[in-house]
């Protein structure tokens, strides 16, 4: 057993069962997937370097990142291509955490990943050989929402291929946190005594009379139209008796044409009268 400064006992998972294909696990919640200690990736002529890192994971490492819940103690790693890397993963929380690396060549690493997992507090170790080339790889915990809550980082091989987004302390978040002030409810006793109807009472309404006038106009026209219809209905019934539909339509169009002609003549006469009055000269004083 190893012991941390906070007196948590860390269980070391050393007796893992080999299930083949780099998959190791035990009955205590420890698991390694994608371990590779010997096979060189294509493009690597030899092991360029042998390195070891210790990664701590836990809630306390998120305290320096406002709004995060979980984190690794380190968010960025960098190694030269073809490095043989052993990762010692220490989970300091009393829940499951993972250190997963994605984007590895699938011909060598099943599902393209290297995976360490332990139900903590616990420690587990695994080894892989990094591919050649300059590339940036995502490392994170894949337990539900742990990555979204801050437990992720990036590992650069060679010069890397740029930075990944939303890496705590390294790159800006894709969705920034909002720490704006929430709406504060003012107690009723401290609210000013304002009559909500005061503005309505003091300001005369300008739209209501206009609306009333429109309604009265519509009602008057409707009444006149109904009265006219009742008066001419008997006459129209006698007039159209024995006519076909086409004859009725023709007759109605003829009436409309006559009505338009009458209105046009009336308007013309009215305009002539107005114009003649304007042309008259005023008598001299």
């Amino acid at each position: 057993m190893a012991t941390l400064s906070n007196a948590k006992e860390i269980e070391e998972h050393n007796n893992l069962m080999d299930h083949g294909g780099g998959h190791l696990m035990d009955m205590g919640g420890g698991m390694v997937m994608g371990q590779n200690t010997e096979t060189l990736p294509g493009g690597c002529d030899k092991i360029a370097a042998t390195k070891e890192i210790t990664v701590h994971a836990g809630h306390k490492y998120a305290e320096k990142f406002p709004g995060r819940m979980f984190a690794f103690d380190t968010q960025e790693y960098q190694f030269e291509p073809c490095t043989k890397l052993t990762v010692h993963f220490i989970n300091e929380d009393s829940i499951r955490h993972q250190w997963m690396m994605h984007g590895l060549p699938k011909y060598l690493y099943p599902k393209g990943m290297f995976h360490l997992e332990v139900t903590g507090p616990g420690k587990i170790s695994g080894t892989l050989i990094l591919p050649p080339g300059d590339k940036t790889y995502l490392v994170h915990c894949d337990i539900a929402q742990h990555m979204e809550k801050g437990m992720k980082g990036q590992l650069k091989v060679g010069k890397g291929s740029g930075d990944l987004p939303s890496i705590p302390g390294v790159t800006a978040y894709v969705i920034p946190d909002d720490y704006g002030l929430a709406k504060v409810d003012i107690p009723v006793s401290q609210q000013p005594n304002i009559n909500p109807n005061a503005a309505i009472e003091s300001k005369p309404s300008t739209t209501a009379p206009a609306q009333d006038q429109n309604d009265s106009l519509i009602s008057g026209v409707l009444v006149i139209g109904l009265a006219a219809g009742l008066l001419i209905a008997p006459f129209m019934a006698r007039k159209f008796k024995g006519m076909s539909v086409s004859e009725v339509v023709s007759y109605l169009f003829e009436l409309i044409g006559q009505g338009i002609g009458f209105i046009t003549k009336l308007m013309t006469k009215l305009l002539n009268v107005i114009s003649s009055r304007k042309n008259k000269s005023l008598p001299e004083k």
Side-chain angles (χ1 to χ4, degrees):
M1 294 282 186
T3 304
L4 294 176
S5 58
N6 60 1
K8 282 187 177 180
E9 291 186 350
I10 301 297
E11 179 182 359
E12 296 193 15
H13 295 257
N14 296 323
N15 299 316
L16 302 173
M17 296 176 285
D18 190 346
H19 292 263
H23 186 185
L24 313 173
M25 65 181 300
D26 62 13
M27 300 300 293
M31 181 165 60
V32 179
M33 295 177 64
Q35 174 157 269
N36 173 31
T37 59
E38 299 177 354
T39 306
L40 290 172
C44 293
D45 297 328
K46 62 178 182 178
I47 300 295
T50 300
K51 299 289 184 180
E52 295 188 22
I53 58 172
T54 299
V55 179
H56 294 262
H59 171 66
K60 73 177 185 180
Y61 298 108
E63 293 177 357
K64 59 183 177 181
F65 305 119
R68 306 303 98 180
M69 182 61 68
F70 302 110
F72 300 126
D73 63 330
T74 303
Q75 282 66 46
E76 188 172 32
Y77 316 87
Q78 189 162 13
F79 303 97
E80 62 180 305
C82 306
T83 294
K84 183 177 182 179
L85 177 64
T86 297
V87 181
H88 304 290
F89 181 54
I90 300 176
N91 176 7
E92 298 183 18
D93 290 339
S94 298
I95 56 175
R96 291 168 61 202
H97 283 315
Q98 301 168 341
W99 193 87
M100 300 176 64
M101 182 174 173
H102 289 280
L104 296 168
K106 293 185 178 180
Y107 68 85
L108 186 57
Y109 297 95
K111 299 183 179 180
M113 71 176 182
F114 174 73
H115 175 112
L116 298 176
E117 178 178 323
V118 61
T119 300
K123 176 183 177 182
I124 196 166
S125 301
T127 301
L128 77 160
I129 301 175
L130 300 175
D134 298 321
K135 186 172 180 179
T136 302
Y137 296 87
L138 172 68
V139 292
H140 72 106
C141 178
D142 200 35
I143 301 299
Q145 297 187 6
H146 286 196
M147 180 177 76
E148 287 76 9
K149 293 181 178 180
M151 191 165 280
K152 58 182 171 180
Q154 61 183 17
L155 188 150
K156 292 185 176 181
V157 174
K159 297 179 181 179
S161 53
D163 292 321
L164 301 177
S166 299
I167 302 299
V170 178
T171 55
Y173 296 125
V174 173
I175 303 177
D177 292 327
D178 183 5
Y179 296 103
L181 295 176
K183 182 179 178 181
V184 179
D185 293 330
I186 302 175
V188 177
S189 60
Q190 298 180 14
Q191 295 181 4
N193 185 17
I194 299 175
N195 181 4
N197 297 321
I200 299 175
E201 293 173 356
S202 61
K203 184 178 180 180
S205 175
T206 58
T207 58
Q211 184 65 36
D212 292 342
Q213 292 174 3
N214 292 336
D215 292 343
S216 300
L217 179 61
I218 294 173
S219 300
V221 173
L222 181 61
V223 171
I224 294 172
L226 290 174
L230 291 174
L231 291 174
I232 67 173
F235 168 77
M236 299 301 290
R238 291 194 300 270
K239 185 67 177 178
F240 295 152
K241 185 176 181 180
M243 289 186 180
S244 64
V245 175
S246 59
E247 291 173 338
V248 172
V249 173
S250 299
Y251 180 74
L252 290 176
F253 274 109
E254 184 180 352
L255 287 178
I256 293 172
Q258 292 175 358
I260 293 174
F262 174 75
I263 294 173
T264 302
K265 290 180 181 180
L266 184 62
M267 293 297 295
T268 302
K269 289 181 179 181
L270 182 61
L271 290 174
N272 290 334
V273 171
I274 295 173
S275 135
S276 63
R277 288 183 178 180
K278 287 185 177 180
N279 293 331
K280 286 183 180 181
S281 58
L282 294 176
E284 296 180 359
K285 290 185 180 180

